[in-house]
């Protein structure tokens, strides 16, 4: 089955003090209640694949905000900061003390939200194999062997998700020096070293790994 605590699709789960929700992707553009800023952003988005992943991300994020924070979709908008990281508007205004992150793949859309910084990443098992191709760019010396990165397609997806979630914790766009900045020490239990230090959790969907990152 692969490393990680099972995450039930469609059910909000609390992990590391954050709330997480995953939904299986559907064909095409899913229905979601959008506010004026979101509607304008979508109108400027010509590419079908981008529109459908963006909408899937908004839908799962808004459901999470509703179920975990009691904020109905009519009151929330999820708009990009300059870095591309998502910002939550409530009744049109940025909501202090509410941080959201989103990740989407061909198979899944996942959101995580908390009172302070949180990163989330989902990696489909079929895409985890990419990590072998770019191993030299992604791993530090000895890292892949020590954490068992190549034990299975699921472990590869888990490593990828942990590294991306770690990078995304720094909402605002600190992506240098990239994946090697997050060293995966172990998958079971999930442990990474990074500067500054972070806590991580690993969750398992039927066909994908999900990682959540939090400040220490
Ligand atoms: C920004 C980045 C993290 C997005 O990751 P991705 O795997 O391509 O895509 P995901 O679906 O997981 O994440 C996209 C979402 O992240 C969020 N996001 C974008 N920029 C972000 C940032 N600076 N900080 C936090 N979150 C960000 C957005 O919500 C975005 O979705 P949306 O635009 O539909 O709202 C990615 O482009 C990146 O730069 N990754 C690092 C590259 C790398 O070295 N990867 C190898 C790891 S093994």
């Amino acid at each position: 089955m692969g490393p990680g605590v099972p995450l039930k699709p469609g059910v909000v789960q609390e992990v590391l003090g954050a709330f997480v929700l995953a939904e299986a992707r559907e064909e095409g553009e899913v229905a979601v209640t959008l506010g004026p800023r979101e509607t304008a952003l979508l109108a400027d988005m010509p590419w079908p694949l981008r529109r459908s992943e963006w909408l899937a991300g908004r839908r799962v994020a808004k459901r999470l905000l509703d179920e975990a924070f009691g904020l109905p979709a009519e009151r929330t908008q999820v708009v990009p900061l300059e870095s591309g990281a998502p910002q939550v508007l409530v009744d049109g205004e940025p909501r202090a003390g509410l941080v959201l992150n989103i990740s989407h793949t061909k198979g899944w859309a996942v959101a995580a939200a908390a009172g302070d910084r949180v990163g989330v990443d989902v990696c489909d098992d079929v895409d985890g194999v990419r990590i072998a191709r770019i191993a030299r760019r992604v791993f530090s010396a000895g890292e892949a062997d020590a954490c068992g990165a190549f034990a299975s397609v699921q472990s590869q997806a888990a490593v990828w998700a942990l590294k991306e979630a770690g990078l995304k914790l720094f909402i605002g766009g600190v992506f240098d020096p990239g994946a090697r900045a997050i060293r995966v020490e172990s998958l079971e239990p999930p442990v990474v070293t990074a500067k500054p230090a972070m806590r991580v959790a690993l969750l398992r969907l039927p066909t994908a790994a999900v990682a959540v990152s939090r400040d220490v």
Side-chain angles (χ1 to χ4, degrees):
M1 180 63 181
V5 175
L7 174 61
K8 210 168 163 207
V11 178
V12 175
Q13 191 160 317
E14 199 177 341
V15 55
L16 302 178
F19 296 97
V20 183
L21 180 63
E23 290 183 335
R25 291 285 305 276
E26 292 166 24
E27 287 280 314
E29 298 188 5
V30 294
V32 49
T33 303
L34 298 178
R37 292 264 312 266
E38 293 168 319
T39 303
L41 285 163
L42 184 65
D44 278 343
M45 229 176 264
W47 307 109
L49 289 179
R50 176 62 180 139
R51 288 173 65 93
S52 63
E53 74 172 19
W54 188 87
L55 283 165
R58 264 60 199 169
R59 187 175 74 171
V60 73
K62 283 167 172 257
R63 277 197 182 159
L64 178 64
L65 293 170
D66 189 357
E67 291 187 25
F69 295 90
L71 293 166
E74 294 73 24
R75 294 184 58 198
T76 60
Q77 297 190 80
V78 180
V79 297
L81 294 167
E82 207 175 317
S83 63
Q87 180 185 44
V88 180
L89 306 182
V90 181
D91 302 327
E93 297 295 329
R95 170 60 63 102
L98 180 54
V99 181
L100 173 78
N101 205 208
I102 294 173
S103 183
H104 30 58
T105 59
K106 285 200 190 78
W108 299 94
V110 181
D116 44 28
R117 298 198 310 177
V118 59
V120 71
D121 193 75
V122 55
C123 181
D124 290 345
D125 292 334
V126 291
D127 290 332
V129 293
R130 280 180 301 170
I131 211 163
R133 276 183 245 132
I134 58 167
R136 224 177 286 171
R137 182 163 71 75
V138 167
F139 291 111
S140 304
E143 179 185 356
D145 283 344
C147 71
F150 298 117
S152 63
V153 289
Q154 291 89 351
S155 62
Q156 293 179 88
V159 167
W160 188 286
L162 282 168
K163 284 182 178 270
E164 289 275 4
L167 292 171
K168 287 163 88 181
L169 182 63
F170 306 114
I171 286 178
V174 184
F175 288 115
D176 281 332
R180 288 167 76 165
I182 316 290
R183 185 182 173 105
V184 179
E185 305 288 358
S186 153
L187 293 177
E188 293 176 295
V191 178
V192 304
T193 48
K195 277 192 190 142
M198 61 179 70
R199 295 177 292 153
V200 290
L202 199 52
L203 303 166
R204 170 101 312 251
L205 287 164
T207 56
V210 175
V212 176
S213 55
R214 300 277 284 150
D215 288 304
V216 172

